Amino acid sequence: MIVMKFGGTSVESAAAIERVAGIVGSRLERKPVVVVSAMGKTTNKLLAIASAAINGQREDYIRQVHDLRDFHSREARLMVPLSERAELDRTLDDHFQELTELVKGLAVLGELTPRAIDAISSYGERLSSFIVTLAFRYFGLPATHLDSRRVIVTDQRHTQAAPLFAETYCRLAETVPPLLQNQVVVMGGFIAATKEGVTTTLGRGGSDFTASIVGAGIGAEEIEIWTDVDGMLTADPTILPGGHRLRVISFAEAAELAYFGAKVLHPATVLPAVEKNIPVLILNSRRPEVEGTRIVADRVPCANAVKSIACKRRITLVNIVSTRMLMAYGFLRRIFEIFDRYETPVDMLATSEVSVSLTIDNTRRLEPILQELREFSEVSVEENQATVCLVGDNIRHTPGMASKVFHALGREINVRMISQGASLLNLGFVIAEADLKKAVEVLHEVFFAETDPAVFD
Ligand code: ADP
Ligand code: ASP
Ligand code: MG
């Protein structure tokens, strides 16, 4: 058994889904479970519909729902035989009618709760998984649909729900392998449900996580993440095109890269895979012949210190100075207790005895956080920052790393904060977002001038 996950661009159109059918068809004997994301940018569109609704923009949301239905119907019709058109239309009608009711309800309430966000954004994967199932049959694959909400059980933290692993693994092991005996199982990623059956989601980009949960639950031989790039690259291609592909990388390094911004993998993806020691592959659905990146449990010997450079844009830097000056006993505890209470994760951190600098990328609850911090400290906030993180498990054994990095950045780029992670796998720092491109370019030149052919393509 293997798990094959296809992201939004890999299922964005009938042509893309036909390519997917070809790839899945070539692996039938390995008994694939296929996990799909919403088609193209559907999740963003659903969220835009929800915010138009609560803002009372009636014409806008009605038109957007209409466009979304047209898009799904148009692509699906290209892959459904005449005999199954009626089933397709009926299902699309049902889904879009429900969605419209929900959106109208939101418009009346004028409020968008996390639970409502999950209900709305779930339609993307519900639609895509249904359409892909019909399309697979059209292209000659024996396919059956499984509603992920029946098998992936989570807590109630809507929009960021955490799986209840024991229950989920139990349901997966019971349900999926029997279906795989003679069929390809198709499931939507990202969506799940509480024990009571209320729809939840695993957070943006969460279909990767679904794939690894399913892989761990059924004891798959391999988890394949099919996307729109050749694999994990030495830099984010939207910032620096033309980076090298990594042939292989360790779970620990991949997790660190994902956490610090390499969007190609959802940060939680590797956890279930590590636990069951299942290799994860990143592959390109447009170029299936490329061997991709293999993520493995063991350390990977490599002549290079750095494996890849991850970045995050739109970061906010918060500087906190204790007004009580020295002997600020309990200072850190108070600070973290506040961020914790407002469920705002801190990414990078540097401290001295009386001051702390930290970065966050979710500023939704920044205002009340600042208010509380100001009760015992002076706080300044810098927006439009970026974090850059060099990742590689040789970093810990390489003397002079920091001097190499800061020498490369030169005098023009002002480094606002530095942090060498306790994991020893990374060296991170904060700069103005305006300097990001330049910084990644110079670092890439320094650290990838020569590349170990065993690890890099
Ligand atoms: P999918 O829809 O298949 O899940 P995503 O858009 O979530 O795809 O992730 C793939 C994207 O991740 C790539 O198109 C690329 O722009 C981005 N990315 C960021 N950092 C990296 C990296 N180090 N290597 C490869 N891709 C990266
Ligand atoms: N469709 C969801 C999103 O856009 C999940 C995913 O694609 O992984 O975030
Ligand atoms: Mg993704």
Side-chain angles (χ1 to χ4, degrees), residues 381-456:
V381 173
E382 295 172 57
E383 289 168 343
N384 302 321
Q385 305 292 303
T387 56
V388 178
C389 213
L390 304 175
V391 175
D393 58 14
N394 281 343
I395 287 180
R396 71 186 105 185
H397 310 296
T398 310
M401 273 296 297
S403 105
K404 221 170 163 181
V405 169
F406 298 113
H407 185 74
L409 293 176
R411 293 194 182 166
E412 294 107 87
I413 300 179
N414 184 22
V415 176
R416 297 289 303 109
M417 183 183 123
I418 302 166
S419 152
Q420 177 141 22
S423 69
L424 303 175
L425 284 178
N426 77 57
L427 176 67
F429 55 90
V430 179
I431 53 176
E433 190 172 337
D435 292 330
L436 181 59
K437 196 171 165 54
K438 174 85 184 151
V440 175
E441 271 168 19
V442 295
L443 290 172
H444 200 272
E445 255 168 49
V446 169
F447 287 101
F448 301 105
E450 282 172 47
T451 50
D452 183 340
V455 173
F456 301 92

Side-chain angles (χ1 to χ4, degrees), residues 5 7-8 37-38 40 43-44 121 125 189-190 203-208:
K5 177 260 170 177
S37 287
T43 310
N44 288 349
S121 55
E125 272 73 7
F190 179 58
R204 294 305 307 269
S207 296
D208 300 335

Side-chain angles (χ1 to χ4, degrees), residues 353-410:
E353 187 174 5
V354 292
S355 76
V356 176
S357 295
L358 49 82
T359 67
I360 55 174
D361 72 353
N362 179 351
T363 52
R364 208 163 51 88
R365 309 184 76 181
L366 185 56
E367 268 319 307
I369 290 176
L370 293 178
Q371 236 172 41
E372 291 201 28
L373 288 173
R374 287 192 172 119
E375 286 170 16
F376 59 94
S377 57
E378 279 167 19
V379 189
S380 65
V381 173
E382 295 172 57
E383 289 168 343
N384 302 321
Q385 305 292 303
T387 56
V388 178
C389 213
L390 304 175
V391 175
D393 58 14
N394 281 343
I395 287 180
R396 71 186 105 185
H397 310 296
T398 310
M401 273 296 297
S403 105
K404 221 170 163 181
V405 169
F406 298 113
H407 185 74
L409 293 176

Side-chain angles (χ1 to χ4, degrees), residues 56-74:
Q57 296 155 330
R58 189 170 169 351
E59 269 175 34
D60 262 13
Y61 73 70
I62 290 182
R63 181 183 43 79
Q64 291 180 59
V65 172
H66 196 85
D67 289 353
L68 204 57
R69 180 185 164 132
D70 268 3
F71 161 69
H72 282 89
S73 170
R74 189 180 62 237

Side-chain angles (χ1 to χ4, degrees), residues 322-378:
S322 166
T323 42
R324 309 238 172 96
M325 297 310 289
L326 298 177
M327 306 299 287
Y329 179 74
F331 183 48
L332 287 179
R333 184 188 49 72
R334 281 184 86 174
I335 293 175
F336 287 115
E337 190 270 323
I338 295 171
F339 281 90
D340 197 43
R341 206 155 15 81
Y342 287 101
E343 297 183 342
T344 298
V346 169
D347 289 338
M348 245 185 229
L349 176 75
T351 73
S352 77
E353 187 174 5
V354 292
S355 76
V356 176
S357 295
L358 49 82
T359 67
I360 55 174
D361 72 353
N362 179 351
T363 52
R364 208 163 51 88
R365 309 184 76 181
L366 185 56
E367 268 319 307
I369 290 176
L370 293 178
Q371 236 172 41
E372 291 201 28
L373 288 173
R374 287 192 172 119
E375 286 170 16
F376 59 94
S377 57
E378 279 167 19

